[in-house]
Amino acid sequence: MAVCLGISLLAGCGGNSEEQGVSAAPSPGGASAAPASTGPKKEISVSIFDRGAVSAEEGSYESNRWTKWINENAPATVKWVPVPRNEAQTKLNTLIASGSAPDLIWEFDRNYIAQLANQGAIQPIDSYIEKYSTSYKKYLQEHPELKPYLTFDGKMYAVTSARDVGSIANHGMWIRQDWLDKLGLKMPTTQEEFLEVARKFKSGDPDGNGKADTVPIAFHGNSMSILRAVFGTQENQWYVENDKLQFGRISDRYRDSLAFQKQLFDEGLIDKEYITDKSFQRSQQFITTGQAGIYLASWNIESAYRDLKKNVPDAKLVPMEPFSTKYGKYGLYQEAPANILTAFNANMKESQIEAAVKFLDWMLDTGWKPLRNGVENVHVKYVNEVPKVIDADKLKKEVSYANEYAVVSQYTIKPEFYPIMAADDALSQEYAKLRSQSLETALKNKFRRDIAYSPSMTEYTQLLATFAPIAQQIEAKIITGSTTPDGGMEELRKEWKRLGGENVEKIVNEWYQKNKDQLK
């Protein structure tokens, strides 16, 4: 359950966000074609997350209106290599091991890019950017805050672009205000109030059908990250405690977040099958059919919201702030300023690298705009340079899957843009106002990130790759009752130590002491 990914007016993240979004490809307004070439275009291959969002009518992730448009207009011919979103790293590792990985490999996870750099699977690109780039080289000079996220052992191994605020925000919490009103409850602000509301949603028949069939809390994506964020911890982040770094997954805060998840499971406040609901289809159905009262998902849930309103027209689903715990109040997960990290396969020849760099320059200049906004006067019209949707259904079908083809972009957004951007029908305007409110809510409270980015030394990345699947199994045992939170945490710490965690902590803290002024 990966944190999902970047968010645009067409698509919600990612990671992390739920929302992702030509026949012969039209020429998108404002986009320029590739510069004249003296010879045939070079072919490059690029990975793309397969989120299952391309309809059969549109084609596939490998071939659709947008891949055709890119190849007609870009200075290189691009072959797209889909990898399943929730198994992306596993699939990429298999392709790398077999020597069939794409030329450009991208992920949101800096630790994964570090792992590839340590393995020699990708190559430094400083000299190639200097030699072949114009636009991206200038862009990086204008955005020096991005350089640390691209640099490993003093060398630049990837390219990226800055996230807009709609992509900085990631997770969101939603609640049925009409259920609160019916049961005489207030918006929960503390852990105990949250529990009490969930219990009343289970027992109080808030949908009024006379049946005990409500599921108080539904999920989409890596929503357990939400229940960690409110405790001020995440599994793969390091936290500063007494001027030393401590790994989040073995901390007391993490134990308490697992204990809370177990309590929700034991009391039947979350679906008992959520662990096996890998695609989250079952969980999403609870919210869209009106059976669930709290939705832990993305801050942008337009598709689910529309489905809910079709099924339960009087439903009033609204964003809610994170609740406080004994540790205080924290914001939900927010991304670092760097967006997609795109690395260059170590096996690329220089002629391919040159073509790839020029492709990235073109994408940054003009290619990104129709991929994020759609075609002018077909999908959107521009109102004071803000893209306004002409037909929401057409936009969703034809454009909503396309944003991640823009591996670099200069897209920006503000909360107040959404009502302007949305179609004029009542439902689109209703959700646009909620979307603005949700984005503001998602950014209102600061997410706890003690250091700008995690260390990337080989010892740590290797330990992380080995420890993570073991930890997931132990955590599932804790939540489902096979072991207690204290017993499970003791087991987690033993495994961490057995795999060399103490030595990694020593190396990481030496790194922290040398670099902490740059990590604020």
Side-chain angles (χ1 to χ4, degrees):
M1 296 185 292
V3 173
C4 84
L5 42 132
I7 301 168
S8 73
L9 80 101
L10 308 173
C13 211
N16 308 52
S17 176
E18 174 186 318
E19 302 302 320
Q20 290 297 325
V22 200
S23 57
S27 177
S32 62
S37 174
T38 57
K41 295 180 183 180
K42 288 285 185 182
E43 180 177 300
I44 60 172
S45 54
V46 186
S47 64
I48 185 77
F49 282 168
D50 184 342
R51 299 179 183 272
V54 182
S55 68
E57 188 176 349
E58 283 293 293
S60 65
Y61 277 96
E62 297 97 320
S63 178
N64 55 63
R65 69 181 67 217
W66 295 107
T67 62
K68 294 171 186 175
W69 177 82
I70 289 169
N71 285 339
E72 289 170 4
N73 291 279
T77 299
V78 183
K79 175 185 176 183
W80 296 92
V81 180
V83 293
R85 175 61 186 108
N86 290 338
E87 301 173 5
Q89 294 180 13
T90 301
K91 178 64 174 178
L92 287 170
N93 288 341
T94 301
L95 293 173
I96 291 167
S98 66
S100 55
D103 299 321
L104 299 185
I105 302 167
W106 65 257
E107 243 287 5
F108 291 102
D109 183 358
R110 185 180 185 274
N111 286 327
Y112 181 67
I113 300 300
Q115 178 183 324
L116 297 185
N118 289 332
Q119 293 171 351
I122 58 176
Q123 59 181 302
I125 57 173
D126 311 68
S127 61
Y128 299 125
I129 297 298
E130 181 63 31
K131 184 176 181 180
Y132 296 121
S133 175
T134 53
S135 299
Y136 188 75
K137 180 167 60 176
K138 179 182 177 184
Y139 180 83
L140 202 55
Q141 291 168 352
E142 295 170 348
H143 293 272
E145 74 278 5
L146 300 177
K147 194 68 180 288
Y149 295 92
L150 310 175
T151 304
F152 306 88
D153 295 327
K155 298 177 182 179
M156 192 169 104
Y157 275 87
V159 298
T160 192
S161 50
R163 292 178 181 273
D164 63 276
V165 294
S167 296
I168 293 288
N170 194 298
H171 291 156
M173 303 177 75
W174 297 78
I175 192 166
R176 288 282 297 272
Q177 181 66 56
D178 52 322
W179 284 17
L180 291 174
D181 295 342
K182 180 177 180 179
L183 299 177
L185 302 170
K186 67 176 185 177
M187 184 74 71
T189 60
T190 68
Q191 182 178 347
E192 283 306 315
E193 289 175 356
F194 181 81
L195 275 170
E196 186 60 24
V197 165
R199 290 166 181 153
K200 291 289 179 63
F201 280 0
K202 181 183 179 182
S203 64
D205 190 27
D207 59 357
N209 67 357
K211 301 177 182 178
D213 60 351
T214 52
V215 178
I217 304 169
F219 299 94
H220 187 279
N222 189 19
S223 300
M224 286 305 181
S225 178
I226 291 174
L227 299 180
R228 294 190 283 270
V230 296
F231 286 86
T233 187
Q234 291 292 318
E235 67 268 38
N236 292 332
Q237 288 189 199
W238 292 84
Y239 296 94
V240 179
E241 301 288 354
N242 300 318
D243 200 35
K244 290 183 67 177
L245 289 183
Q246 181 185 47
F247 189 57
R249 206 163 201 159
I250 58 172
S251 68
D252 289 345
R253 288 173 181 253
Y254 197 79
R255 177 201 60 208
D256 289 347
S257 76
L258 292 172
F260 183 62
Q261 293 170 49
K262 173 178 168 54
Q263 183 177 12
L264 297 177
F265 185 88
D266 289 346
E267 294 189 30
L269 304 179
I270 57 178
D271 179 31
K272 295 286 187 179
E273 296 183 30
Y274 89 92
I275 290 179
T276 58
D277 185 22
K278 300 296 185 183
S279 66
F280 309 105
Q281 291 182 350
R282 175 181 167 87
S283 189
Q284 178 140 328
Q285 190 174 22
F286 289 135
I287 196 70
T288 58
T289 58
Q291 285 183 268
I294 296 169
Y295 193 35
L296 307 184
S298 163
W299 68 271
N300 175 27
I301 58 166
E302 183 168 4
S303 179
Y305 188 84
R306 286 178 176 274
D307 288 344
L308 170 63
K309 295 294 282 190
K310 287 178 184 177
N311 294 320
V312 189
D314 294 332
K316 188 176 181 182
L317 189 66
V318 299
M320 64 175 285
E321 286 188 50
F323 53 83
S324 63
T325 70
K326 68 179 184 180
Y327 295 106
K329 187 174 183 180
Y330 296 94
L332 303 184
Y333 187 83
Q334 296 171 15
E335 299 287 357
N339 198 7
I340 291 167
L341 301 175
T342 302
F344 286 49
N345 193 314
N347 295 326
M348 288 178 73
K349 297 177 181 178
E350 186 157 350
S351 60
Q352 292 173 297
I353 293 172
E354 179 182 2
V357 171
K358 291 180 178 178
F359 166 74
L360 293 169
D361 271 8
W362 169 82
M363 185 64 76
L364 185 70
D365 283 338
T366 58
W368 67 270
K369 193 171 184 179
L371 296 169
R372 298 298 296 254
N373 295 347
V375 180
E376 187 173 6
N377 297 324
V378 175
H379 301 107
V380 296
K381 60 182 178 181
Y382 285 87
V383 179
N384 297 324
E385 299 187 359
V386 178
K388 180 177 179 61
V389 176
I390 295 172
D391 184 323
D393 290 336
K394 185 178 181 65
L395 183 78
K396 178 182 177 183
K397 175 184 173 183
E398 297 183 355
V399 186
S400 63
Y401 62 84
N403 78 99
E404 286 177 343
Y405 291 112
V407 291
V408 288
S409 83
Q410 299 192 61
Y411 179 82
T412 58
I413 195 69
K414 294 179 181 178
E416 59 267 28
F417 285 2
Y418 290 120
I420 300 173
M421 289 166 18
D424 289 329
D425 64 277
L427 182 57
S428 294
Q429 284 296 312
E430 175 184 315
Y431 181 72
K433 292 171 184 174
L434 275 177
R435 191 174 180 182
S436 297
Q437 181 186 346
S438 180
L439 178 55
E440 291 171 344
T441 301
L443 297 172
K444 184 176 180 180
N445 298 285
K446 187 176 181 180
F447 171 69
R448 187 186 180 194
R449 180 181 276 110
D450 290 4
I451 56 176
Y453 55 88
S454 294
S456 58
M457 61 278 298
T458 304
E459 295 88 346
Y460 169 54
T461 58
Q462 289 178 345
L463 171 61
L464 196 63
T466 306
F467 180 64
I470 296 172
Q472 288 168 3
Q473 293 177 359
I474 296 171
E475 289 160 11
K477 286 164 51 179
I478 293 173
I479 295 168
T480 57
S482 300
T483 187
T484 65
D486 286 338
M489 183 53 63
E490 182 179 355
E491 192 175 347
L492 273 174
R493 288 168 176 163
K494 282 183 179 178
E495 288 297 319
W496 174 260
K497 184 176 181 180
R498 180 181 68 82
L499 294 170
E502 289 181 339
N503 182 55
V504 165
E505 289 174 15
K506 178 176 179 294
I507 296 170
V508 165
N509 272 289
E510 288 173 354
W511 167 83
Y512 171 67
Q513 293 301 327
K514 291 177 183 177
N515 297 281
K516 61 182 178 181
D517 290 341
Q518 304 171 31
L519 295 169
K520 296 178 180 177

